[in-house]
Amino acid sequence: DSLYRRHPVGGLLVWATESKTAAHRGDGPRVAGVVKLLLDGQQRMTSLYGAVRGTPPKFFDGNAQAFSGLHFNLESESFEFYQPMKMKDDPLWIDVTELMKKGTTGLGEFVTRLAAQPALAPKVGDYVGRLSRLLGITDIDLHIEEVTGADKSLDVVVDIFNRVNSGGTKLSKGDLALARICADWPEGRDAMKAKLTEWAKAGFHFNLDWLLRSVNTVLTGEAKFQHLHEKSAAEVQDALARTTRHIDTSLNLIGGRLGLDHDQVFFGRFGVPVMARYLDQRQTKKLGAMDEKERDKLLFWYVQAAMWGRFSGSTESFIDQDLAALEGADGGLDKLVEQLRLWHGGLRAERGHFTGWSLGARFYPVLYLL
């Protein structure tokens, strides 16, 4: 409606960043080595794209029907979604998407329809002007502000977005890192969602951010997303395959050995990225299968980290500390367990810890395990 009336609808904010093998959607040319990610304006662009093309853009996850049936009234110059009782057989209600898709050809068709109605003939000139104005929406230039430069790291860009969009939804570093990855590997998001669906069917519900953080720990050896977007699509694709394999192993161990076999008793989920990194390092060093002692030590660390709420505070910082404990000549499970012991001041469960016994209490899964 604002675009039709030529009212300002605000500018767009994009991040122009280097890309090795960027894929892109749309008809416009792409500057070699650069991809532009839309930071602010996604709802406006999604709505406009949907109304003009009658279908949602590929990245849209919501109800595709939300974009169908937008109509424009030539008399009142108002927009409404299709209502059969109100609009059927009324030539003054124009299907916006039909007009947009047919362009100037469609304009001629609509004019012919209107002219065929004697009662409307006197105002056909006005209606043609309104139809042309509606069609002209796609020619409007929107102001685009670009965030660019080598100093614009993931952290800086997220901070810029959250300042500009202070009243709206916050952008997480995971969201932006994933968007950056999908510029090089458009199928990446779908591949991750397919794996999340698979785990959900087995009773474990994780989100994209958690899976991406797990991939990040395996690929970069740290929890923060600051280097993930610098990796190539092939590296991320390979890391996702390795990570999901290690998560499967971890879930099988936790479910099979500890009995924590579904979501309501699965606690300490941010311990799993650390386990995945450990398993990946073992595979890289070609150490073969774990023996019982090593397997149980890994599970001991996982349960203890979950019991004492290791990751309930500064999640990234504690994951990074644990990942660091796995590195170096003296790194490994013993160092990981010792670090946990020093952090908590001991690993002994006492009677009092079980006073909170209900579902949701930290020691409820421990009772289930026992």
Side-chain angles (χ1 to χ4, degrees):
D1 189 65
S2 295
L3 287 167
Y4 173 74
R5 299 177 193 285
R6 302 305 189 260
H7 292 171
V9 293
L12 306 176
L13 182 66
V14 303
W15 179 28
T17 179
E18 286 187 21
S19 178
K20 299 179 183 71
T21 57
H24 75 297
R25 295 185 285 270
D27 305 320
R30 180 179 61 79
V31 180
V34 173
V35 63
K36 294 182 180 181
L37 300 178
L38 185 62
L39 293 175
D40 193 36
Q42 180 175 310
Q43 287 181 328
R44 280 167 286 162
M45 289 299 96
T46 302
S47 300
L48 187 58
Y49 184 106
V52 170
R53 301 208 172 174
T55 182
K58 191 170 181 182
F59 61 77
F60 185 71
D61 288 330
N63 179 10
Q65 299 304 312
F67 300 105
S68 60
L70 184 65
H71 279 60
F72 174 72
N73 188 281
L74 288 169
E75 188 59 45
S76 64
E77 297 179 84
S78 60
F79 292 89
E80 290 183 34
F81 283 97
Y82 186 65
Q83 300 169 52
M85 296 286 288
K86 185 176 183 178
M87 302 176 186
K88 194 178 180 185
D89 301 325
D90 185 344
L92 290 176
W93 283 104
I94 301 297
D95 186 323
V96 174
T97 303
E98 185 188 348
L99 176 67
M100 294 292 188
K101 285 167 90 170
K102 289 181 176 177
T104 50
T105 308
L107 186 61
E109 286 181 22
F110 281 112
V111 171
T112 303
R113 279 188 225 167
L114 293 167
Q117 303 277 337
L120 303 179
K123 295 196 73 174
V124 165
D126 291 341
Y127 298 153
V128 170
R130 290 166 190 175
L131 285 168
S132 299
R133 189 177 181 82
L134 179 57
L135 204 52
I137 284 175
T138 55
D139 296 322
I140 296 172
D141 283 325
L142 297 178
H143 174 67
I144 298 176
E145 191 119 20
E146 285 193 4
V147 176
T148 187
D151 61 320
K152 300 300 188 293
S153 66
L154 201 74
D155 286 2
V156 171
V157 175
V158 168
D159 183 54
I160 289 171
F161 172 86
N162 287 334
R163 284 167 185 256
V164 169
N165 197 39
S166 58
T169 306
K170 292 286 182 188
L171 178 71
S172 76
K173 291 168 191 174
D175 292 334
L176 189 55
L178 184 58
R180 179 64 190 74
I181 288 164
C182 289
D184 287 351
W185 180 30
E187 300 82 15
R189 190 185 297 265
D190 290 338
M192 291 184 195
K193 283 186 175 178
K195 195 62 196 179
L196 292 172
T197 301
E198 194 180 308
W199 287 322
K201 287 178 182 174
F204 296 102
H205 294 83
F206 303 116
N207 59 28
L208 261 177
D209 201 73
W210 177 87
L211 177 53
L212 194 66
R213 195 176 297 281
S214 301
V215 172
N216 187 49
T217 59
V218 167
L219 185 55
T220 70
E222 57 183 48
K224 296 180 179 68
F225 289 116
Q226 56 193 15
H227 299 301
L228 183 62
H229 69 288
E230 296 166 5
K231 302 295 182 181
S232 70
E235 287 174 309
V236 175
Q237 207 165 347
D238 178 61
L240 176 63
R242 281 156 40 210
T243 303
T244 53
R245 196 163 59 245
H246 298 322
I247 291 173
D248 283 340
T249 300
S250 300
L251 293 178
N252 284 334
L253 284 173
I254 294 166
R257 297 292 301 172
L258 304 178
L260 304 176
D261 52 4
H262 61 88
D263 234 25
Q264 288 188 316
V265 292
F266 187 81
F267 64 162
R269 60 187 55 213
F270 283 105
V272 176
V274 178
M275 294 172 73
R277 172 70 176 178
Y278 175 73
L279 293 171
D280 195 64
Q281 285 181 311
R282 289 188 88 269
Q283 194 174 61
T284 303
K285 295 171 185 172
K286 297 183 178 172
L287 297 177
M290 285 190 290
D291 61 23
E292 288 181 9
K293 188 174 181 182
E294 185 184 4
R295 177 203 66 198
D296 288 347
K297 196 177 286 186
L298 179 63
L299 288 174
F300 175 80
W301 171 82
Y302 163 76
V303 172
Q304 292 283 349
M307 274 164 56
W308 310 121
R310 172 74 169 162
F311 306 108
S312 59
S314 303
T315 306
E316 282 188 349
S317 300
F318 286 121
I319 292 177
D320 275 337
Q321 286 176 25
D322 291 340
L323 292 170
L326 296 175
E327 301 296 328
D330 64 335
L333 291 181
D334 288 330
K335 191 172 179 182
L336 198 61
V337 172
E338 185 57 25
Q339 180 170 264
L340 188 63
R341 180 178 282 112
L342 291 171
W343 166 75
H344 186 253
L347 300 178
R348 186 178 178 86
E350 305 286 353
R351 284 180 61 176
H353 291 128
F354 291 92
T355 53
W357 56 265
S358 61
L359 182 64
R362 190 175 291 154
F363 272 72
Y364 177 82
V366 184
L367 287 172
Y368 184 86
L369 179 157
L370 292 170

